[in-house]
Amino acid sequence: MDDIVIVEYDRKWVELFEQEAIYLRNLLGEASILRIEHFGSTAIPGMPAKPIIDILAEIPSFDRAQQEALPKLVDAGYEYLWRSDRPPGHMMLIKRSPDGKRTHHIHMAIAGHALWERLYFRNYLCSHPEEATRYAQLKRDLAQKFPGDREAYTDGKSEYVNLITTKAKLDAINF
């Protein structure tokens, strides 16, 4: 059910993000969700991806989110994980379709958390199509090599993602 399947880019991913962002704001309120960003491969036009919308939500604090937001999200059917495997930890929620397939990953973190650096990666690939093409091929290769192993698939992308993120941050500083 959670095998890694890469599909061609779908323009409706932007709309699915926007719908979920509105839903989350309505469910949790503006005081609990300070900022919402679409990130990951579904946020990069033309990028093939697992058809799972990645959302990055800024929260005021982990304690407050766990006390106030988490019960509402769990009641709404999201699965909760504390992601400590890639320090620093963050809150992650999984939304599934009625047939059990993942549709959304909601990552929740405070401002300044390392997760926010992923926006550099997203923005860089959006403005550098040659790098986006390289990343797309890497993703396809890894999905073929590790079709049932999410961790190995993600680990296989890490070096490339870190390299491009560093390059993107340097470009932003020099801009």
Side-chain angles (χ1 to χ4, degrees):
M1 186 179 308
D2 284 338
D3 283 350
I4 296 161
V5 177
I6 304 295
V7 301
E8 292 305 313
Y9 180 77
D10 189 335
R11 281 186 241 154
K12 74 177 179 184
W13 290 340
V14 173
E15 183 180 325
L16 292 171
F17 160 73
E18 290 169 355
Q19 290 171 354
E20 193 69 12
I22 290 167
Y23 177 77
L24 291 170
R25 284 200 186 281
N26 288 337
L27 178 67
L28 303 176
E30 301 260 338
S32 292
I33 298 288
L34 306 175
R35 174 179 170 195
I36 298 179
E37 292 281 346
H38 186 189
F39 77 125
S41 293
T42 61
I44 302 168
M47 179 63 65
K50 296 184 307 288
I52 301 168
I53 308 303
D54 282 304
I55 296 174
L56 181 54
E58 182 182 340
I59 53 176
S61 74
F62 287 114
D63 287 340
R64 183 170 168 189
Q66 287 171 338
Q67 292 170 3
E68 297 173 13
L70 186 56
K72 292 177 185 176
L73 290 162
V74 170
D75 285 349
Y78 293 83
E79 298 169 30
Y80 172 65
L81 305 161
W82 174 258
R83 293 294 305 260
S84 60
D85 56 325
R86 289 183 173 78
H90 71 278
M91 296 172 70
M92 179 180 166
L93 295 113
I94 299 169
K95 183 176 184 178
R96 294 184 186 267
S97 65
D99 64 356
K101 292 182 182 170
R102 294 175 187 229
T103 61
H104 297 76
H105 288 166
I106 316 300
H107 301 267
M108 301 177 90
I110 58 173
H113 190 281
L115 259 177
W116 290 97
E117 291 188 358
R118 292 194 187 176
L119 298 182
Y120 286 108
F121 181 77
R122 176 201 67 189
N123 295 345
Y124 192 88
L125 290 188
C126 285
S127 62
H128 294 81
E130 70 287 350
E131 286 298 344
T133 299
R134 276 192 269 288
Y135 185 56
Q137 188 58 53
L138 174 63
K139 289 162 53 74
R140 286 184 177 111
D141 293 346
L142 290 168
Q144 187 173 18
K145 187 175 180 179
F146 304 111
D149 188 343
R150 281 183 174 277
E151 293 305 315
Y153 170 81
T154 300
D155 289 345
K157 298 185 305 179
S158 293
E159 183 178 339
Y160 180 82
V161 170
N162 291 339
L163 175 73
I164 296 302
T165 301
T166 299
K167 185 186 257 189
K169 287 167 61 178
L170 288 172
D171 282 2
I173 291 169
N174 293 324
F175 183 69

